Amino acid sequence: DVLFTDTVGFIQKLPTQLIAAFRATLEEVKEADVIVHVIDASNPNWEKQSTSVMRTLADLGVVDAADPASEYADGQAKPIVTLLNKMDRVSQKKLSPFLRLQHQRPLTVMASAKTGDGMLDFVLCVEDALRTLLSPIEVLIPFNKGELLNELHERGVCDSVTYLDSGVRVSGKAPLDLCQRLEPHSLLEVDLEVVEDDGEEDWKALAKGRHSYMAQRNRA
């Protein structure tokens, strides 16, 4: 299950007396597992607005986990999905900066909430972001630890499940806290690193589905 929580949007020329309340509302982002940054791509000042948002997040102690500098930055590194909305209002001649942003931030999707184009890709991108919170596991869970198996099904990803005489062997991914409780039953000798695709997307292919057009690109 995934819970989406909306925060207050950014308002230009906010009255001084409302700044404190505005900031208090934004503090909620520190409790999020994944942040969705929605950008109005049709706004001529979208780059300036985006920079302002990222600077504010940094001031709140939140940095983009995909940024190579996040390892050395002060604050919490979180996956940030960037949704470039209203792409239906952007001409083909003005796509370059958006493609460049996609290259810089892997979890970026161009879409149009009005036409529906790219919204499937947005959902898949959020799923990709959630997967970055999971670590690979290969465990042999004893039959008397059924609660661990149930929690793994609910909170993790089970790629393969095999019932053996000694227990249930599972290969998949799980959140860190669950991985720590599964460690006594781990069959992994070496920790594996999750690798994300950071390729450039093609706006024209969005309606075909994220996985299909990426597969076609990789074969090209």
Side-chain angles (χ1 to χ4, degrees), residues 26-182:
L26 283 178
E27 292 279 349
E28 295 180 8
V29 302
K30 294 193 292 187
E31 305 300 324
D33 295 313
V34 175
I35 296 173
V36 177
H37 177 196
V38 182
I39 297 175
D40 181 356
S42 67
N43 191 312
N45 297 318
W46 72 268
E47 289 183 279
K48 181 178 179 180
Q49 293 175 341
S50 175
T51 299
S52 176
V53 170
M54 298 305 293
R55 185 184 301 114
T56 301
L57 289 176
D59 290 342
L60 292 171
V62 177
V63 295
D64 188 354
D67 186 346
S70 65
E71 182 179 353
Y72 309 100
D74 295 331
Q76 298 174 301
K78 296 179 180 290
I80 298 181
V81 174
T82 303
L83 175 60
L84 295 166
N85 190 30
K86 300 185 181 181
M87 288 300 298
D88 55 302
R89 298 184 180 181
V90 179
S91 66
Q92 292 289 327
K93 296 180 180 180
K94 298 182 179 180
L95 288 180
S96 295
F98 301 109
L99 294 173
R100 183 169 60 253
L101 181 63
Q102 278 193 321
H103 183 71
Q104 295 170 348
R105 301 182 192 172
L107 297 175
T108 298
V109 174
M110 291 184 284
S112 168
K114 180 179 180 180
T115 66
D117 291 335
M119 296 310 296
L120 171 60
D121 300 276
F122 166 63
V123 173
L124 295 174
C125 199
V126 171
E127 290 181 354
D128 287 346
L130 291 172
R131 287 193 184 96
T132 66
L133 304 175
L134 306 179
S135 299
I137 59 161
E138 186 168 350
V139 294
L140 182 61
I141 302 176
F143 290 117
N144 64 350
K145 297 291 184 180
E147 71 281 359
L148 287 177
L149 181 60
N150 291 336
E151 187 174 354
L152 184 54
H153 278 293
E154 291 177 358
R155 301 180 57 205
V157 176
C158 298
D159 295 323
S160 67
V161 179
T162 306
Y163 287 84
L164 306 173
D165 292 338
S166 55
V168 184
R169 180 167 183 161
V170 182
S171 295
K173 295 181 179 179
L176 181 59
D177 65 302
L178 182 54
C179 285
Q180 292 173 341
R181 285 185 284 128
L182 288 169

